[in-house]
Amino acid sequence: MDKDNYYIKRIRFKNLFGYRDIDWELLEDVNILGGINGSGKSTIMQCVRSLLTTNFLPDNLARLAEKIDIEFYNGCTFTWCREKSNLSGYAPDSDHKYKVDATKTDDNGLFTVQKSQLLSAGKEVLRTGNVGEHIGTDMVSASEQMALHKDISYAIGEKDLETNLDLLLYREINKRNEKLVGSIRFLSLMKSQKEIIELQRELQDIIFDADDDKREQIQKLEEEIADKINFTSQSLIDIHDILDEYFSSTGKISMKDTGNFLFRSGNEIINYLKLSTGEKQLLLVLLKAFNSEEKPFIMFLDEADLGMHIEWKEKLIKTLRSINPNMQILFDTHAPSVIKGWFDNVKEMDEISHDNNSYACNP
């Protein structure tokens, strides 16, 4: 068992919305969740992502469930639960992390206590900060399309940002450009570019010399070149090719020599803020996937396909897996049937919902 494998294996909710239990077993690669509006898809995604990154839930989510267990493929288990207590009966222990807001009480004078812990496969308490320290996570949600408060856009000096989606794109593009500049600086410092060019010329000369006896030499040179190339910089450039493929039907062509994501549309040059909502949503998902740099990663897609053309929905997961094959995807959508190639990975909310079965807060 790989102790570093923090892909999610199973998610259990006790008393979601006060009456539903959830038991969802996941695959290491792609997991698609379908269901009608209000069935809890988005709530599950938001809760799990929050617990992995902060150990706790925001107040608006904490009141929706009684207990949540998250099991990982390495045998570790993260447990969260919500309790009611008064000051005299509140006795924290060292094995859990706690979040308490004693300023808010219910009609009975009790306040809400959130407690969580991460256990190893051997049921020992792991005193780590959060699961996000062991594996990268990110989330794209359809709710990010709502309007952005103008104070935020003016505060960062980007008054053209109008929605939360615009702000997230702005941040991901900056993150991408920082990685790209960093990788180029690394190549320059290591003086690897010249070495790579020389090796490529040597490889080209051998390939043109059609001698079957040189296959081992060709393979060795290819491996040596691969070791020297910083693939991060190349993968960050490849996003433009994917965008051109998706945008081909709209006539937009990405301008590959810029870090600002400009597009040629007829005789006009537009930036990413002038794209449609569906195009922006696609760009954000692709940017987050590329910025994961092919590392082990968990991507939560909360109805992120809203506004996308049906052909884009069909191939989105295949595209993301090609960008980062080490990414576990949790994707909730109203249209799981249109996603090609992953029918066996689809679960409906009715399939993972069960009648209440009590189990205690402490594991």
Side-chain angles (χ1 to χ4, degrees), residues 130-149:
N130 54 60
V131 175
E133 295 180 2
H134 301 281
I135 187 168
T137 70
D138 215 328
M139 187 169 189
V140 178
S141 174
S143 64
E144 290 154 355
Q145 298 171 9
M146 58 190 202
L148 180 70
H149 198 289

Side-chain angles (χ1 to χ4, degrees), residues 140 165-166 168-170 172-173 176 239-240 242-244 246-247 254 259-263 271-291 299 304 308 312 316 320 323:
V140 178
L165 180 55
D166 292 346
L168 290 171
L169 278 169
Y170 170 78
E172 289 299 320
I173 289 171
R176 170 196 178 274
I239 188 174
H240 293 286
I242 295 176
L243 286 171
D244 284 346
Y246 274 81
F247 289 176
S254 62
N260 297 319
F261 283 88
L262 300 177
F263 299 85
N271 68 15
Y272 67 95
L273 295 175
K274 299 299 182 181
L275 297 174
S276 70
T277 299
E279 289 170 329
K280 289 180 182 179
Q281 196 82 347
L282 174 67
L283 176 57
L284 180 62
V285 174
L286 295 179
L287 281 167
K288 287 183 179 291
F290 272 107
N291 284 340
M299 177 71 81
M308 291 188 190
W312 295 6
L316 179 61
L320 296 179
I323 295 170

Side-chain angles (χ1 to χ4, degrees), residues 180-304:
L180 181 57
V181 171
S183 65
I184 292 173
R185 286 176 179 170
F186 175 78
L187 285 173
S188 178
L189 289 171
M190 298 301 293
K191 298 182 179 178
S192 295
Q193 287 173 306
K194 183 178 179 181
E195 295 176 10
I196 291 171
I197 292 172
E198 291 175 352
L199 287 169
Q200 288 172 332
R201 286 173 179 168
E202 184 178 349
L203 177 62
Q204 186 177 12
D205 291 340
I206 294 175
I207 291 175
F208 279 120
D209 182 6
D211 188 343
D212 291 340
D213 294 336
K214 294 186 177 181
R215 288 180 180 175
E216 290 186 7
Q217 190 176 357
I218 290 174
Q219 183 178 355
K220 183 178 179 181
L221 276 171
E222 288 176 340
E223 291 174 353
E224 191 173 351
I225 292 171
D227 286 339
K228 289 183 177 295
I229 291 178
N230 185 325
F231 281 102
T232 299
S233 60
Q234 183 57 48
S235 67
L236 290 168
I237 294 170
D238 287 345
I239 188 174
H240 293 286
D241 296 330
I242 295 176
L243 286 171
D244 284 346
E245 176 189 345
Y246 274 81
F247 289 176
S248 60
S249 60
T250 70
K252 297 184 182 71
I253 300 174
S254 62
M255 300 181 67
K256 299 178 177 59
D257 58 345
T258 174
N260 297 319
F261 283 88
L262 300 177
F263 299 85
R264 190 183 306 277
S265 179
N267 296 324
E268 185 181 6
I269 302 299
I270 63 173
N271 68 15
Y272 67 95
L273 295 175
K274 299 299 182 181
L275 297 174
S276 70
T277 299
E279 289 170 329
K280 289 180 182 179
Q281 196 82 347
L282 174 67
L283 176 57
L284 180 62
V285 174
L286 295 179
L287 281 167
K288 287 183 179 291
F290 272 107
N291 284 340
S292 69
E293 300 183 275
E294 298 189 15
K295 297 176 182 177
F297 200 79
I298 303 175
M299 177 71 81
F300 296 86
L301 300 176
D302 177 22
E303 299 182 0

Side-chain angles (χ1 to χ4, degrees), residues 83-87 101-102 104-113:
E83 298 175 335
K84 290 288 187 176
S85 181
N86 53 40
L87 289 175
D101 185 355
K104 298 178 181 178
T105 58
D106 62 16
D107 294 339
N108 297 317
L110 301 177
F111 57 85
T112 300
V113 178

